[in-house]
Amino acid sequence: DEHASPVSGAFSQEHARALWDFVDEHRKSVERMIVHCDAGMSRSPAVAAAIARYLGEDDREFFQRYRPNARVYRSLCEAVSGRFPRSVPR
């Protein structure tokens, strides 16, 4: 698979697609999403920032308060490129 992660267990495009499927499925029925990973230090903020951006919110707070994993954030953004609201710069 061309999108498979080169490192076993690392975040992949398959993970990104599954996350966006989940977000799209539940976004109209929930008021708040909580993002959590085992360490909660870089992957969680990356996922939360990407979700905020995708939903048209400002993702800067996640970059100011935390150190989002750049690879995870980039993978998520690439998986939905073209679907972000134009009003949110990044």
Side-chain angles (χ1 to χ4, degrees), residues 4-80:
S5 175
V7 179
S8 179
F11 196 86
S12 67
Q13 283 297 304
E14 184 176 317
H15 293 124
R17 286 189 298 271
L19 181 127
W20 293 127
D21 288 346
F22 178 85
V23 170
D24 284 337
E25 180 181 341
H26 297 286
R27 68 189 283 186
K28 292 182 181 175
S29 63
V30 299
E31 183 177 321
R32 182 172 309 182
M33 289 186 184
I34 297 173
V35 179
H36 183 342
C37 68
D38 288 338
M41 297 179 65
S42 68
R43 287 172 296 177
S44 296
V47 170
I51 290 172
R53 182 174 176 208
Y54 179 70
L55 298 177
E57 301 295 328
D58 191 350
D59 64 357
R60 285 182 282 198
E61 179 181 350
F62 296 99
F63 290 92
Q64 292 169 348
R65 294 182 63 191
Y66 308 101
R67 292 183 179 207
N69 181 301
R71 183 176 186 282
V72 170
Y73 182 79
R74 187 173 46 255
S75 294
L76 287 165
C77 291
E78 288 172 358
V80 290

